[in-house]
Amino acid sequence: MLTLGTLAPNFKLLDTVSGKMLSLAELKSDKATVIMFICNHCPFVKHIDDGIVALAKDYQSKGVSFIAISSNDVENYPQDSPDLMKVEAKKVGYIFPYLYDETQEVAKAYQAACTPDFYLFDAELKCVYRGQLDDSRPGNGQPVTGKDLRSALDCVLNNKEVDSEQRPSLGCNIKWKVS
């Protein structure tokens, strides 16, 4: 896991919705920035998609930036291709960029392991949270609330320290390219 306090690794990736190359410097917020590693086909991501959109709607108005990145190997998982990412973003109603990490270098720089994987960076782009959205998983009956990430966001926005006891996200492994 990325160590708390680590500066967000920089990147410039294709936004599959707009077709533009976008960088962290262009997308970050001066309050808080959420970076999430997701993909189209993962049942864990599909389970929380509406919760992610609701979270972004609640916090973008407070100055928080949201960035989604897919790093999966599209040769072996064509359902995660950039064209289908654009379709998925529109279908689900993503109100944030959905970037394609073709080389998988960004996922490696963030030490992302699964989809979904969530990172929260403060105004200085220092990592203050990395972990799960909440306790909900497909089939476990827990509602999708986003409580873990919401709690961390509220701390950052209120200049309070984020609890360092953080639960890692669970989901599908990132589909790494085989070299």
Side-chain angles (χ1 to χ4, degrees), residues 44 47 132-142 167-171:
F44 289 84
H47 176 71
Q132 67 179 12
L133 181 68
D134 58 30
D135 293 324
S136 186
R137 307 285 183 266
N140 78 353
Q142 296 287 322
R167 296 190 59 200
S169 193
L170 290 173

Side-chain angles (χ1 to χ4, degrees), residues 53-64:
V53 172
L55 180 81
K57 283 181 181 171
D58 290 346
Y59 284 89
Q60 280 180 335
S61 63
K62 298 175 183 179
V64 177

